Amino acid sequence: MIALAPRTRLLVAAVLFLLFAALPFVAAGTDDHFLVITATRVMVFAIAALSLDLILGYGALVSFGHAAYLGIGAYTVAILSSNGVSDLALQMLAAVLASAVFALVTGAISLRTKGVYFIMITLAFGQMAFFFFVSLSSYGGDDGFTLQARSTLMGTALLENDRVFFYVTLAALVLLFLFANALIGSRFGRVLTGTRENPLRMQAIGFTPFRYQLTAYVISGCMAGIAGVLLANQTEFVSPAFMTWHRSGELIVMVILGGIGTLVGGILGAAAFLMLEEWLAIFSEHWRLAMGVILVLVVLFTRGGLTGLLRRLLGGRA
Amino acid sequence: MTNLLLLQALNGLQFGVLLFLVAAGLTLVFGIMDFINLAHGVLYMVGAYLVATFAGLTGSFWLGIVIALPVALVFGLLLEVLIFRRLYDRSHLDQVLATFGLIMIVNEGVKIIWGAAPLSVPMPDLLSGSVPLVGMMQYPVYRIAIIAAGLLTALGLYLMIGHTRIGMLLRAGASNGKMVSALGVNIRRLFMIVFGFGAMLAGFAGAMIAPILSVDPGMGESVLILTFVVIVIGGIGSIRGAFIAAILVGLVDTLGRTFGPILLRMVLDPSAASQTGRTLAPMLIYILMAAILFFRPAGLFGRKS
């Protein structure tokens, strides 16, 4: 576990967010519209990875079904907008509620188990959600469902503009990061981290770990649900493919790649993973081979992922 | 109805023994070295591709299997030496990341070597007919052969684990690897043997199923998740648990798909019943797993940690 000092964490995050904010200007200068779209996708997955890092890094709860919330968020958009509710804020609210209910029920059951069994039971719930949406034939079943348009922002079609959508996504990422950061620094966050280190001791000094872990699990699910809402809007398409176990695995990979338990690691990992995907795909249709090799090498030769690397570059002061 | 039940029960049993062959190696690897190997499913896939290749080259399914098995064993040992042994001391998350990468490598490697299009393996003539079961009903000989091969392997494993010295070490290793190591057993070598053997069993399962399933680059992943379901239901490290859970999952999945809608029609109108049936059928085994873990958080035969 690579612990970043809170100030370093904020500093790295600020640099990252400023880089993101400048991107559309770079893209306008080089006439590279694709860059904005790719960067939006990176930020959407950064939100999902951030939400996973919250429970994985700080609660040691390895959810292998986290992509389910991407799907729940995305399908909330599809279901609401095809029934006439196209406002983004309302859709976000509904997605958060739906994610919270799913996380509360499945989390309460999953938290009875530990370690590998927890990983597998969250996977089971993820698969249940996947198959549920596969069988939802009125919304395309296996083939997915194409949205008529993006959600509306206070009654306007502003989100149709990719640049506006980019900044809305960035705003969501920044707000959720600050929220997660505050949560980790709060008493709640310290109990959660304490439980990660030693649940028995936390119990002995009078806390109920289960309640804190479940709350964190629900919060994390809600954040990933928001990422799902944004993902559906970006692709203007929803599909059960958003929530395969493979996607859940990729989210875990993003978090580990970036550095567990650092919050910024999730963002870095999502960026690295997706950019690597884009970049490798230029060279060969068999880019997955290279991607796999890189992942294996990262595990074998770095400790603490990209954040660990960053930390060493900063001379271990961070 | 009784005939259909019997037919589907046999199909479920066949699916179950197949899952057991893949799960046996995985649960031992997991139990002894505490190692999460997401890439176990690719060994099953590689087995199927190897038998497709060697059966094509030699013109005989049997020769194909005979050559494919040692090659699968060597492939497994190669993975162990090159990658896995560097990961034992690492966290579960590192193991997940590395073996996830390995899945990508092998899946893509298979596409490069054999192409993305599914291959088919001709069924051996000897086993291609069907036999009368009850009354008018026929059952394919090949599926009976799979069941027989699976049950024989299970029996062999049972005898080996229960009645040989290496079996004793395996049981002890799965219960408490550190203690066995402290008693002077070279647990790494033991593990290498188990890993190679497990790779061969998974490869054998892939080779056996190849003639009745198309061989394609995604086949390892679908079986991987089911295999994890099996070993978690059975209790990690327990061969007996894996066997019972595999048969249970095979039966529940197969019977659920057939009889779920029929049972639902008793309480729902036909269209609602078929819709609900289609929704619930693929979820059944995951519901089963969640329910079992709810009551027994360490699986049916797992030890409380």
Side-chain angles (χ1 to χ4, degrees), chain B residues 27-259:
Chain B
T27 200
L28 285 176
V29 165
F30 219 146
I32 295 175
M33 296 308 276
D34 197 25
F35 181 83
I36 300 192
N37 178 17
L38 289 186
H40 194 72
V42 304
L43 298 166
Y44 163 87
M45 174 183 69
V46 165
Y49 271 100
L50 288 176
V51 83
T53 307
F54 292 123
L57 284 177
T58 60
S60 153
F61 176 78
W62 302 109
L63 268 177
I65 278 207
V66 169
I67 304 173
L69 285 185
V71 178
L73 176 73
V74 170
F75 180 69
L77 290 176
L78 204 67
L79 288 184
E80 203 275 339
V81 171
L82 286 179
I83 300 179
F84 290 176
R85 62 173 49 179
R86 294 162 215 275
L87 293 169
Y88 301 150
D89 303 328
R90 309 292 282 270
S91 69
H92 277 158
L93 284 174
D94 279 355
Q95 296 165 355
V96 165
L97 183 59
T99 53
F100 192 84
L102 196 60
I103 292 180
M104 297 178 98
I105 296 173
V106 179
N107 278 356
E108 210 56 38
V110 161
K111 273 188 213 162
I112 292 172
I113 299 174
W114 284 284
L119 303 180
S120 64
V121 176
M123 191 168 291
D125 289 335
L126 187 65
L127 301 176
S128 60
S130 12
V131 287
L133 211 57
V134 192
M136 295 289 287
M137 222 179 52
Q138 303 270 315
Y139 199 74
V141 177
Y142 193 77
R143 284 182 186 263
I144 293 177
I146 293 183
I147 296 175
L151 291 179
L152 277 177
T153 313
L155 182 69
L157 272 175
Y158 171 77
L159 292 176
M160 189 187 90
I161 287 175
H163 297 92
T164 64
R165 186 180 150 76
I166 194 157
M168 179 191 77
L169 292 177
L170 286 179
R171 275 179 289 142
S175 304
N176 193 339
K178 283 202 187 79
M179 181 63 80
V180 175
S181 174
L183 290 173
V185 176
N186 186 343
I187 196 141
R188 297 231 153 172
R189 200 178 58 204
L190 178 71
F191 177 75
M192 198 175 149
I193 296 168
V194 170
F195 191 85
F197 189 63
M200 199 171 72
L201 276 183
F204 179 56
M208 286 296 288
I209 201 70
I212 53 176
L213 205 80
S214 73
V215 180
D216 67 64
M219 66 186 286
E221 297 193 6
S222 50
V223 95
L224 171 74
I225 298 299
L226 290 175
T227 313
F228 270 109
V229 168
V230 163
I231 71 170
V232 166
I233 289 180
I236 289 164
S238 162
I239 286 279
R240 185 170 47 153
F243 182 74
I244 290 171
I247 302 298
L248 194 64
V249 166
L251 286 175
V252 165
D253 190 58
T254 311
L255 294 178
R257 282 171 204 272
T258 318
F259 294 100

Side-chain angles (χ1 to χ4, degrees), chain A residues 234-266:
Chain A
Q234 203 218 348
T235 50
E236 298 186 46
F237 174 72
V238 298
S239 148
F242 287 4
M243 50 203 305
T244 59
W245 76 269
H246 211 263
R247 185 46 64 69
S248 296
E250 279 175 10
L251 289 177
I252 297 180
V253 167
M254 287 174 190
V255 174
I256 307 174
L257 191 64
I260 313 163
T262 56
L263 294 185
V264 286

